Amino acid sequence: MNITKNEKDGVVYLTFPLFEKEGIRHGFSTRKGGVSEGDLGTMNLSFTRGDEPERVLENHRRFASAVGYDVSRLVFTNQVHETVIRRVDRSECGKGIFRSSDIIGVDGLITKDENVVLMTFFADCVPLFFYDRKQKAIGAVHSGWRGTVKRIGAHAVERMQEEFDTRAEDILAVIGPSICQNCYEVSEDVAEEFRQEFTASQQKEILVNKPGNKYLLDLWRANEIILQEAGIPAGQIQVSGLCTCCHPDFLFSHRASGGKRGNLAGAITLSGLGE
């Protein structure tokens, strides 16, 4: 696996060596180190799962302290499995956590503002994080199967090009903890959408036939293909290799829990770059 397990003050979180080498402050949460209880135990970072708001806030404070960012600078996505990417800046810090948010129907955020911490949520879906080494810009994207087949990762690259003059060859990208192919069975209609979008040779890489018109779908490889076709060199893309569904005691998984779960989150910021 291409991921590092960290622990601080009881909070267990994950980081990528690819970003660590660049000094990019980031982290992906686990279930460990929070104050939530039951199916949400313990590090639920979502206000939409029926948790007590005070507990969610305390979890955010603990996670921020462990990773090393200012919790007041967070900006949340509002995920609807579409491809809208929004640029944000310091004027929007706190949206989604400490104040109401007009960031609606947005599955990806980008910024060049070092005062901003981008956060996305997941519990099997794929988090995609980006760092432009030349323009010093970052992106955070939520990519479920719908976002993947619509190539939201490529949309993020395009938006960074439009907003920051980013060149794809300057981007480092990571594919965070999410459901693996062996755990992700999909129906014929989902498989058909991927057949329409990917070439025959690519389909062999991402779809495995099962009896009863079922398929195993590899979202990790599908997103790798999308990012490479968007121009990011293969050597600058790192896949965690850590499956949420295979490790339900360590990570929240929608499939493994039958929907009885909290939300994981990923955070990334330019704050402290070069320290």
Side-chain angles (χ1 to χ4, degrees), residues 60 69-76 93-95 97 117 119:
H60 274 286
Y69 62 83
D70 183 342
V71 70
S72 70
R73 296 181 179 182
L74 280 169
V75 181
F76 285 3
C93 287
K95 285 186 176 180
I97 180 168
V117 183
M119 178 166 278

Side-chain angles (χ1 to χ4, degrees), residues 244-256:
T244 45
C245 194
C246 287
H247 302 89
D249 294 331
F250 184 59
L251 303 167
F252 290 118
S253 168
H254 187 80
R255 288 221 167 183

